[in-house]
CSV table of all heavy atoms in Angstrom, one decimal:
chain,number,residue,atom,x,y,z
A,657,ASP,N,66.2,-63.1,18.1
A,657,ASP,CA,65.7,-62.5,19.4
A,657,ASP,C,66.1,-61.1,19.5
A,657,ASP,O,65.5,-60.3,20.3
A,657,ASP,CB,66.3,-63.3,20.6
A,657,ASP,CG,67.8,-63.2,20.7
A,657,ASP,OD1,68.5,-63.4,19.6
A,657,ASP,OD2,68.3,-62.9,21.8
A,658,TYR,N,67.0,-60.6,18.6
A,658,TYR,CA,67.3,-59.2,18.6
A,658,TYR,C,66.1,-58.3,18.3
A,658,TYR,O,66.0,-57.1,18.6
A,658,TYR,CB,68.4,-58.8,17.6
A,658,TYR,CG,69.8,-59.2,18.1
A,658,TYR,CD1,70.1,-60.3,18.9
A,658,TYR,CD2,70.9,-58.5,17.6
A,658,TYR,CE1,71.4,-60.6,19.3
A,658,TYR,CE2,72.2,-58.8,18.0
A,658,TYR,CZ,72.4,-59.9,18.9
A,658,TYR,OH,73.7,-60.2,19.2
A,659,PHE,N,65.1,-58.9,17.5
A,659,PHE,CA,64.0,-58.2,17.0
A,659,PHE,C,62.8,-58.1,18.0
A,659,PHE,O,61.9,-57.4,17.7
A,659,PHE,CB,63.5,-58.8,15.7
A,659,PHE,CG,64.5,-58.7,14.5
A,659,PHE,CD1,65.4,-59.7,14.3
A,659,PHE,CD2,64.5,-57.5,13.8
A,659,PHE,CE1,66.3,-59.6,13.2
A,659,PHE,CE2,65.4,-57.4,12.7
A,659,PHE,CZ,66.3,-58.4,12.5
A,660,ALA,N,63.0,-58.7,19.1
A,660,ALA,CA,61.9,-58.6,20.1
A,660,ALA,C,61.9,-57.2,20.7
A,660,ALA,O,63.0,-56.8,21.2
A,660,ALA,CB,62.1,-59.7,21.2
A,661,PRO,N,60.8,-56.5,20.7
A,661,PRO,CA,60.8,-55.1,21.2
A,661,PRO,C,60.8,-55.1,22.7
A,661,PRO,O,60.4,-56.0,23.4
A,661,PRO,CB,59.6,-54.5,20.6
A,661,PRO,CG,58.6,-55.7,20.5
A,661,PRO,CD,59.5,-56.9,20.1
A,662,GLU,N,61.3,-54.0,23.2
A,662,GLU,CA,61.1,-53.7,24.6
A,662,GLU,C,59.9,-52.8,24.8
A,662,GLU,O,59.9,-51.7,24.5
A,662,GLU,CB,62.4,-52.9,25.2
A,662,GLU,CG,63.6,-53.8,25.3
A,662,GLU,CD,64.8,-53.0,26.0
A,662,GLU,OE1,64.6,-51.8,26.3
A,662,GLU,OE2,65.8,-53.6,26.1
A,663,LEU,N,58.9,-53.4,25.4
A,663,LEU,CA,57.6,-52.7,25.7
A,663,LEU,C,57.8,-51.9,27.0
A,663,LEU,O,58.3,-52.3,28.0
A,663,LEU,CB,56.5,-53.6,25.8
A,663,LEU,CG,56.2,-54.5,24.5
A,663,LEU,CD1,55.1,-55.5,24.8
A,663,LEU,CD2,55.9,-53.6,23.4
A,664,PRO,N,57.3,-50.6,27.0
A,664,PRO,CA,57.4,-49.8,28.2
A,664,PRO,C,56.4,-50.3,29.2
A,664,PRO,O,55.4,-50.9,28.9
A,664,PRO,CB,57.0,-48.4,27.7
A,664,PRO,CG,56.2,-48.6,26.5
A,664,PRO,CD,56.7,-49.9,25.8
A,665,GLY,N,56.8,-50.1,30.5
A,665,GLY,CA,55.9,-50.5,31.6
A,665,GLY,C,55.8,-49.4,32.6
A,665,GLY,O,56.8,-48.7,32.9
A,666,VAL,N,54.6,-49.1,33.0
A,666,VAL,CA,54.4,-48.0,34.1
A,666,VAL,C,54.8,-48.7,35.4
A,666,VAL,O,53.9,-49.0,36.2
A,666,VAL,CB,53.0,-47.5,34.0
A,666,VAL,CG1,52.9,-46.3,35.0
A,666,VAL,CG2,52.7,-47.0,32.6
A,667,THR,N,56.1,-48.8,35.6
A,667,THR,CA,56.5,-49.5,36.9
A,667,THR,C,57.5,-48.7,37.6
A,667,THR,O,58.2,-47.8,37.0
A,667,THR,CB,57.2,-50.9,36.5
A,667,THR,OG1,58.3,-50.6,35.7
A,667,THR,CG2,56.2,-51.8,35.8
A,668,GLU,N,57.6,-48.9,38.9
A,668,GLU,CA,58.7,-48.3,39.7
A,668,GLU,C,60.0,-49.1,39.5
A,668,GLU,O,60.0,-50.3,39.7
A,668,GLU,CB,58.2,-48.4,41.2
A,668,GLU,CG,59.2,-47.8,42.2
A,668,GLU,CD,59.3,-46.3,42.1
A,668,GLU,OE1,58.5,-45.7,41.4
A,668,GLU,OE2,60.2,-45.8,42.9
A,669,PHE,N,61.0,-48.4,39.0
A,669,PHE,CA,62.2,-49.1,38.6
A,669,PHE,C,62.8,-49.8,39.8
A,669,PHE,O,63.3,-51.0,39.6
A,669,PHE,CB,63.2,-48.0,38.1
A,669,PHE,CG,64.5,-48.6,37.6
A,669,PHE,CD1,64.6,-49.3,36.4
A,669,PHE,CD2,65.6,-48.6,38.4
A,669,PHE,CE1,65.8,-49.8,35.9
A,669,PHE,CE2,66.8,-49.2,38.0
A,669,PHE,CZ,66.9,-49.8,36.8
A,670,SER,N,62.8,-49.3,40.9
A,670,SER,CA,63.5,-49.9,42.1
A,670,SER,C,62.8,-51.1,42.6
A,670,SER,O,63.4,-52.0,43.2
A,670,SER,CB,63.7,-48.9,43.2
A,670,SER,OG,62.4,-48.4,43.7
A,671,THR,N,61.5,-51.3,42.3
A,671,THR,CA,60.7,-52.4,42.8
A,671,THR,C,60.2,-53.3,41.7
A,671,THR,O,59.8,-54.4,41.9
A,671,THR,CB,59.5,-52.0,43.7
A,671,THR,OG1,58.6,-51.2,42.8
A,671,THR,CG2,60.0,-51.1,44.8
A,672,ASN,N,60.2,-52.7,40.5
A,672,ASN,CA,59.7,-53.4,39.3
A,672,ASN,C,58.2,-53.7,39.4
A,672,ASN,O,57.7,-54.7,38.9
A,672,ASN,CB,60.5,-54.7,38.9
A,672,ASN,CG,60.2,-55.1,37.5
A,672,ASN,OD1,60.1,-54.3,36.6
A,672,ASN,ND2,60.2,-56.4,37.3
A,673,GLU,N,57.5,-52.9,40.2
A,673,GLU,CA,56.1,-53.1,40.4
A,673,GLU,C,55.3,-51.9,39.8
A,673,GLU,O,55.8,-50.8,39.8
A,673,GLU,CB,55.7,-53.1,41.9
A,673,GLU,CG,56.1,-54.4,42.5
A,673,GLU,CD,55.5,-54.5,43.9
A,673,GLU,OE1,55.1,-53.4,44.5
A,673,GLU,OE2,55.5,-55.6,44.5
A,674,THR,N,54.1,-52.2,39.3
A,674,THR,CA,53.3,-51.1,38.8
A,674,THR,C,52.6,-50.4,40.1
A,674,THR,O,52.6,-51.0,41.1
A,674,THR,CB,52.1,-51.6,37.9
A,674,THR,OG1,51.3,-52.5,38.7
A,674,THR,CG2,52.7,-52.4,36.7
Side-chain angles (χ1 to χ4, degrees):
D657 65 314
Y658 282 31
F659 292 95
E662 284 186 2
L663 299 177
V666 186
T667 59
E668 177 73 5
F669 182 79
S670 60
T671 64
N672 199 36
E673 284 189 345
T674 66

